[in-house]
Amino acid sequence: MAQIKNEVAYNAAMKRIEELEELVDDNTPETDPLYLELDMLVDMVEEYEDIHYPISSPSLIDTIRLRMYEMGLTQQKVASMLGISAPRMSAIMNGKAEPSLALARTMCQKLNIEPSVALGL
């Protein structure tokens, strides 16, 4: 399969994708040449972006902060939910301490965090 080899080609592909998105919709048959072109370009752009614009996994602390925001919780309320002291929670949030495996499991359950994030994978 063809590859996007540089930023100029990447930008041209992105521009063409925008043009094709105006012409292809949910009712376009998968055998339509415009649909096929769009599908190929999206795959090529995705491959290029994976190499040149990688997105790293979120850290546990960032994920906890996001959940706190989403759930309207304070750090002290999270500590209480998890059954740990406020100073222990503070140490985890400041990167001075790591949660135990049992605490990581509780975080996953109570805060709806993916286990891979809690385990740093």
Side-chain angles (χ1 to χ4, degrees):
M1 179 188 260
Q3 282 186 325
I4 297 174
K5 298 184 184 202
N6 56 48
E7 199 71 17
V8 172
Y10 170 76
N11 289 328
M14 291 299 290
K15 183 178 180 190
R16 181 63 180 151
I17 287 172
E18 287 178 18
E19 293 168 355
L20 289 168
E21 285 178 333
E22 297 292 322
L23 304 171
V24 175
D25 61 24
D26 291 339
N27 298 320
T28 305
E30 291 183 14
T31 56
D32 184 280
L34 295 176
Y35 179 95
L36 294 170
E37 181 184 1
L38 178 61
D39 191 46
M40 286 189 295
L41 283 173
V42 167
D43 287 346
M44 290 168 40
V45 163
E46 197 172 85
E47 182 180 319
Y48 183 84
E49 287 176 343
D50 286 346
I51 294 167
H52 298 281
Y53 302 108
I55 298 174
S56 61
S57 298
S59 71
L60 176 58
I61 294 168
D62 290 339
T63 304
I64 293 171
R65 283 193 179 113
L66 175 62
R67 291 297 186 261
M68 287 170 59
Y69 172 78
E70 290 173 342
M71 298 169 79
L73 300 171
T74 64
Q75 194 169 297
Q76 188 157 349
K77 285 184 182 178
V78 173
S80 178
M81 279 176 60
L82 299 176
I84 60 174
S85 68
R88 173 88 173 124
M89 187 69 201
S90 179
I92 291 169
M93 295 302 290
N94 291 320
K96 295 179 181 174
E98 293 287 326
S100 66
L101 185 56
L103 179 57
R105 182 178 294 127
T106 303
M107 286 178 174
C108 292
Q109 294 167 346
K110 302 271 183 169
L111 299 174
N112 193 26
I113 295 174
E114 289 292 321
S116 60
V117 173
L119 297 173
L121 301 175

